Amino acid sequence: MNIQKIFFLNKFCVFREERQYLHSTDIFNQLKHFFKNKKIKNLEIIFKKKITNYPYLIISSNPNFKIKNTYYISLSYTKNNKKYFGYIYQSRNKIFLTKKYNEKKFQEKIKFTKKSIFIPNNTNFDFIQRITSGAMKFLKDKNTMNNRGKWYLVRLKVKHFIKLDNKNFIKINSLKSKENANFFSIYYKKKIGEMLFLKK
C-alpha cells in the first residue's frame, strides 16, 4: 500500500452534548473501526487542532510522502512489523448532528488516590471513553486552584489493540503534573499506553 484515503463514517461524525468539535473518543473509535486488525501495535495519535467538519484520513507506509500542513491530527502505528503514518484532514462539509454523552453516572464509579485513577469494568463505556473521562474527572477534581482554561487530550499512545476490551479493569497513574499539563500511564495488568493532557 502506498497511499490510502479513508472518509470517516457518519456515525463517528456527531458532536457530543454541547461540544462544537469532534470528540477524541469518536476519532479513536473511527480509527479502531478502520484498523479492525488486533495486530495493530504502537499506535500514537497527536491531536493538533479541533475538527468541526467531516474528516478524512490519509495513510501511507512511506515516511517521506508529501503532506499538506493543514492536517488536524497525525498518527503512526505498526502492522505486521511495518510502520505506517497517517494524517487526518477535514473537508468543507460541516458537522451538525449531536448526541448525548452522560459521563456523570460513569464518573461516580471511579475511585481516586493522590496519583491514581481506578476505573471499574461494570460500565457500558468503551476503552477510550473510560480512560479519557476518567482522566478528565481526575484533572477537574485535582486542579481546583486554577479553573481557567479547559483540559484537552493532545497525545495518546496504545501499545496493543488486543488489550482494548471494555470489560477489563483499568488503572491510570498520573506521573508528571503541572498547572497546565498532565502526563498519564495506562495499565491493564501491565502498562498498555500513555496520555498527555494540556490545559488551553
Side-chain angles (χ1 to χ4, degrees), residues 23-37:
H23 201 259
S24 58
T25 56
D26 291 301
I27 295 167
F28 181 87
N29 283 331
Q30 169 65 81
L31 293 174
K32 187 179 175 184
H33 177 84
F34 163 65
F35 292 143
K36 294 181 182 176
N37 192 320

Side-chain angles (χ1 to χ4, degrees), residues 68 86 120 136 143 172:
K68 297 179 182 179
M136 286 294 292
N143 291 269
I172 304 173

Side-chain angles (χ1 to χ4, degrees), residues 1 32 37 43 50 60 68 72 78 86 96 98-99 102 104 123 126 130 133 136-137 148 159 164 178-180 190:
M1 180 188 71
K32 187 179 175 184
N37 192 320
L43 171 66
K50 294 179 182 178
S60 176
K68 297 179 182 179
Y72 286 68
T78 303
F96 294 104
T98 61
K99 62 183 175 182
N102 187 0
K104 290 184 178 179
T123 173
D126 59 27
R130 293 167 72 202
S133 185
M136 286 294 292
K137 175 65 174 173
R148 290 178 297 176
K159 288 185 178 181
L164 308 189
K178 296 182 180 179
E179 184 176 320
N180 295 314
K190 295 182 179 180

Side-chain angles (χ1 to χ4, degrees), residues 82-113:
K82 190 173 185 179
K83 192 163 185 177
Y84 293 84
F85 305 87
Y87 298 87
I88 297 177
Y89 300 86
Q90 68 173 15
S91 68
R92 295 182 180 180
N93 299 321
K94 291 189 174 296
I95 299 172
F96 294 104
L97 296 178
T98 61
K99 62 183 175 182
K100 293 183 179 180
Y101 186 44
N102 187 0
E103 296 178 277
K104 290 184 178 179
K105 288 185 178 180
F106 165 73
Q107 290 180 340
E108 289 172 357
K109 300 177 181 179
I110 297 171
K111 304 296 181 183
F112 296 137
T113 63

